[in-house]
Amino acid sequence: MAKKQISELQELRLKFKPELPLTLQLGAANIKVIKGKPTSCAKKFEGEVKKMFANTYGLPEVKFAKGKNDLAKRKITLGVVLSGGQAAGGHNVIAGLFDGLKKANPKNALLGFLNGPAGIIDNKVKVIDVKIIDEYRNTGGFDLICSGRTKIETPEQFEAAKNTLIANKVNALVVVGGDDSNTNAALIAEYLKQQNLDICVIGVPKTIDGDLKNEYIETSFGFDTATKIYAELAGNIARDINSARKYWHFIRLMGRSASHITLEVAFKTQPNIVLVGEEVLAKKMTLAQVVNYMTDIISKRAAEGKNFGLALLPEGLIEFIPEMKELISALNDLLSNPTPSFSTVDNNPAAAKTEDVENGLIEKFAYVQSQLPKNLSDLFKSLPENIAAQLLLDRDPHGNVLVSQIETEKLLVEMIAARLAELKKAKKFNGKFASITHFFGYEGRCGFPSNFDANYTYALGYNAAVLALNNLTGYISSVRNLIKQPKQWICGGIPLTMMLNIEKRHGSQKAVIAKALVDLNGKPFKALCALRKDWAFNDNYLVSGPIQFFGPASITDITTKTLQYEYGKGAK
Ligand code: FBP
């Protein structure tokens, strides 16, 4: 068989040696575990969470320090699964796990479950050895074991997962995922304890969206790389805008439930318009008000002869507009209940071509309209047909609407153009409006991890191995102090149950890790508020260029502007 070809950059990145925090450099056999006081979740949820997690609630926070540790020398088999959307650095989590395990005991084994949690249910396993891992160090993507969005939730799935873990003699399972997947990790940890099985479960915080964060998780991995990639593209577009001076570019950025990505890319590019979903929700803005806000900036710029500009909006904006949120939630309920079969409806209405598919869609539209309350039915009817169809696509296994498929930027452009036409008629707008829309999503998830993400993910994996070797279950791998150099990062474990809230999901009360939205009282958002007026009219676009892997640390190792603001540093 011909040798697999890799790029020149990949050759070099394979040789990159992530820098470990000083504590982890000692190796698990020389790290002792220091347990803190028992922990609790938010007071108002405590009763419920305690009941649901009778075996794992209240665990202590753990920290690591130098000290002999014989328990960590025992031989174990660890299984790892990548869950949910891709994020740069997943392979380095696995590399960190591998190196952490092997340093503690060369006989330790690492297994990868294939295609996400479905691989645990279906017992699809790959042994990860040194030859394999060395081909994936510091590379993007999840292709070593692939990912998936299956959720382990039914009693049968829990039973099947248990059987797989037993069959493979797994002592520890590491779930690399976002808020939903880490919630699932907490449930599996509790289930295995209930079953009197000595198999520990540990989570690792992943998601480019950046919405799995709290006091103990400063950022999820992949956010740094994704925002750098999007900022490169958006910055290049900004320069094109400023050169051609004839188009408005509207860029929708991934981040389905929170606007962290949009905020970070805004700091990195300084666009004319930035929409933050959380602000739209707090101000209870209607779709028309969002359009008016944008139209106002566009027409004021036109009055200065500037018929061009850059607008950034979050992927999940549509769900933040209260009336749309209400509509989507009603559709979620409607579509999660048995509906008449619309077998002729393809799940990609954008590609609807044949008469059958079109007829099926018409039937589905009619059915949905007849079931919705009048106000929502009217709103649904008022939407352009392609957007209405996108709102009806199948939900993901966690019940989330696929916002990545909803072209909100096109909806806004259509509405802005209509509003400007009205203003023109009323002689209140005398400019031109030529627009180009973009969606930056999938292109940011699998790039080579930035040095920050390469170091962070390697540390998260290594740290998770130390937790597993100490037989600690129900924890998330926590690496903090990220504004400093990796050597100074602080490592340990945070009980997953501590992060649980009770929320209503699809009609029933569930324990979930709450999504961390942009905090409107937080320093990053306040910084945006102070800057955006200037950005709107003064065209101070920033062009950050591609991720730098080699060269001065001032450009290769910088953390996100969000983290810099959060640490009160201001952003450079
Ligand atoms: P995770 O939360 O699983 O990390 O995924 C986030 C994300 O990248 C979103 O920003 C996006 O809406 C979604 O995945 C797309 O999902 P899919 O990969 O299933 O199309």
Side-chain angles (χ1 to χ4, degrees):
M1 207 168 63
K3 198 173 167 253
K4 197 172 157 199
Q5 293 216 317
I6 58 170
S7 69
E8 291 81 355
L9 182 61
Q10 184 162 335
E11 291 264 3
L12 280 178
R13 288 310 280 169
L14 289 179
K15 293 179 195 144
F16 176 77
K17 294 261 174 279
E19 194 181 359
L20 270 181
L22 285 175
T23 330
L24 296 183
Q25 285 182 24
L26 299 165
N30 293 308
I31 298 173
K32 67 175 180 199
V33 172
I34 300 169
K35 294 190 177 174
K37 293 203 182 98
T39 58
S40 52
C41 66
K43 264 266 152 309
K44 60 178 169 177
F45 305 122
E46 201 170 13
E48 275 301 294
V49 176
K50 226 176 188 170
K51 252 191 265 157
M52 289 173 165
F53 293 85
N55 297 282
T56 48
Y57 184 78
L59 294 168
E61 183 187 338
V62 301
K63 289 188 179 143
F64 298 146
K66 189 174 177 181
K68 285 272 163 262
N69 185 340
D70 286 339
L71 177 67
K73 290 187 197 159
R74 76 207 161 94
K75 176 184 170 298
I76 69 163
T77 296
L78 188 147
V80 59
V81 65
L82 301 174
S83 180
Q86 283 67 252
H91 290 149
N92 264 25
V93 173
I94 302 177
L97 281 168
F98 184 86
D99 292 349
L101 288 174
K102 292 292 179 186
K103 176 149 181 177
N105 183 340
K107 292 200 180 115
N108 284 338
L110 180 61
L111 305 177
F113 291 106
L114 303 181
N115 312 319
I120 310 180
I121 299 170
D122 302 336
N123 195 6
K124 295 269 178 334
V125 187
K126 175 174 186 163
V127 176
I128 298 170
D129 60 20
V130 69
K131 187 169 172 298
I132 294 176
I133 203 70
D134 284 350
E135 284 175 17
Y136 285 88
R137 290 180 190 271
N138 311 302
T139 57
F142 280 4
D143 40 311
L144 169 53
I145 53 174
C146 301
S147 186
R149 288 198 184 275
T150 304
K151 193 171 160 188
I152 299 175
E153 58 182 345
T154 65
E156 295 74 29
Q157 288 171 327
F158 274 103
E159 172 87 15
K162 175 182 88 177
N163 292 338
T164 298
L165 296 174
I166 293 173
N168 290 288
K169 298 191 171 57
V170 168
N171 306 93
L173 171 68
V174 170
V175 178
V176 182
D179 52 310
D180 286 330
S181 307
N182 275 285
T183 299
N184 218 205
L187 288 164
I188 302 169
E190 175 66 23
Y191 170 79
L192 294 172
K193 273 269 176 204
Q194 261 172 29
Q195 303 281 311
N196 284 321
L197 286 168
D198 198 14
I199 303 174
C200 63
V201 183
I202 289 148
V204 171
K206 169 237 69 167
T207 175
I208 63 158
D209 292 3
D211 57 1
L212 173 49
K213 68 190 234 156
N214 51 46
E215 208 184 319
Y216 308 98
I217 309 295
E218 293 175 357
T219 187
S220 52
F221 80 76
F223 178 74
D224 182 72
T225 306
T227 51
K228 280 177 174 153
I229 293 173
Y230 299 143
E232 180 201 351
L233 299 173
N236 292 349
I237 287 178
R239 186 143 253 167
D240 195 292
I241 289 170
N242 222 2
S243 308
R245 302 186 157 237
K246 60 178 179 180
Y247 295 123
W248 264 92
H249 285 256
F250 292 79
I251 305 177
R252 176 168 54 107
L253 291 153
M254 250 190 191
R256 59 180 161 181
S257 306
S259 310
H260 299 289
I261 290 181
T262 298
L263 193 56
E264 175 66 20
V265 175
F267 289 133
K268 287 186 160 109
T269 54
Q270 307 194 163
N272 305 104
I273 298 177
V274 194
L275 296 178
V276 172
E278 289 80 345
E279 183 182 24
V280 168
L281 178 66
K283 291 186 171 163
K284 298 192 173 58
M285 289 171 84
T286 61
L287 191 51
Q289 284 169 325
V290 172
V291 169
N292 285 346
Y293 169 75
M294 299 176 91
T295 309
D296 188 50
I297 295 177
I298 293 168
S299 58
K300 281 185 180 143
R301 284 178 60 84
E304 290 174 16
K306 292 177 176 175
N307 291 302
F308 58 89
L310 176 62
L312 302 184
L313 54 126
E315 182 188 47
L317 177 73
I318 193 124
E319 280 200 288
F320 280 108
I321 299 171
E323 56 188 346
M324 294 303 298
K325 191 181 169 75
E326 205 190 328
L327 173 63
I328 290 170
S329 153
L331 289 174
N332 286 349
D333 289 347
L334 202 58
L335 299 174
S336 66
N337 291 324
T339 55
S341 154
F342 304 104
S343 52
T344 50
V345 182
D346 190 90
N347 195 34
N348 180 8
K353 278 195 190 82
T354 67
E355 217 172 282
D356 269 1
V357 172
E358 274 164 22
N359 288 341
L361 260 179
I362 292 167
E363 274 171 44
K364 197 169 185 178
F365 276 21
Y367 169 75
V368 163
Q369 282 168 22
S370 70
Q371 300 296 309
L372 289 170
K374 171 131 183 23
N375 63 329
L376 297 182
S377 176
D378 289 347
L379 176 61
F380 185 74
K381 264 188 259 171
S382 74
L383 296 171
E385 202 175 292
N386 58 333
I387 301 290
Q390 287 158 7
L391 290 178
L392 298 184
L393 289 171
D394 284 350
R395 275 41 183 165
D396 77 5
H398 298 274
N400 302 311
V401 67
L402 300 176
V403 281
S404 64
Q405 316 278 329
I406 302 173
E407 295 168 311
T408 316
E409 69 285 14
K410 294 195 177 153
L411 171 68
L412 291 175
V413 160
E414 209 171 292
M415 294 179 76
I416 289 168
R419 180 79 193 115
L420 287 172
E422 282 170 16
L423 292 174
K424 195 161 233 172
K425 238 183 182 170
K427 305 219 177 313
K428 289 182 183 157
F429 173 68
N430 196 19
K432 289 190 191 123
F433 180 64
S435 64
I436 298 177
T437 55
H438 312 260
F439 169 46
F440 294 162
Y442 298 93
E443 39 288 80
R445 303 199 305 184
C446 284
F448 282 106
S450 62
N451 282 1
F452 172 82
D453 269 329
N455 287 324
Y456 183 41
T457 47
Y458 187 72
L460 283 170
Y462 205 107
N463 188 63
V466 177
L467 291 168
L469 288 162
N470 284 287
N471 210 17
L472 293 160
T473 193
Y475 283 84
I476 190 164
S477 178
S478 161
V479 175
R480 288 182 265 169
N481 208 22
L482 299 173
I483 197 86
K484 297 273 168 54
Q485 285 303 304
K487 272 193 194 126
Q488 293 162 269
W489 290 352
I490 298 167
C491 303
I494 301 298
L496 284 161
T497 53
M498 200 180 162
M499 307 187 330
L500 293 173
N501 285 358
I502 300 290
E503 283 180 19
K504 195 170 169 203
R505 296 262 172 110
H506 312 292
S508 55
Q509 296 292 104
K510 296 249 163 77
V512 291
I513 295 174
K515 290 186 194 296
L517 304 184
V518 169
D519 175 6
L520 301 182
N521 292 312
K523 289 177 185 154
F525 182 73
K526 285 194 169 154
L528 173 78
C529 294
L531 293 164
R532 63 183 166 191
K533 218 176 191 160
D534 179 52
W535 296 351
F537 301 104
N538 292 332
D539 305 346
N540 282 323
Y541 305 129
L542 288 180
V543 181
S544 52
I547 295 178
Q548 300 296 309
F549 299 107
F550 310 100
S554 57
I555 56 163
T556 56
D557 292 359
I558 33 172
T559 47
T560 60
K561 305 226 179 216
T562 304
L563 267 179
Q564 291 174 37
Y565 280 122
E566 280 167 351
Y567 269 89
K569 297 241 180 246
K572 284 182 205 123

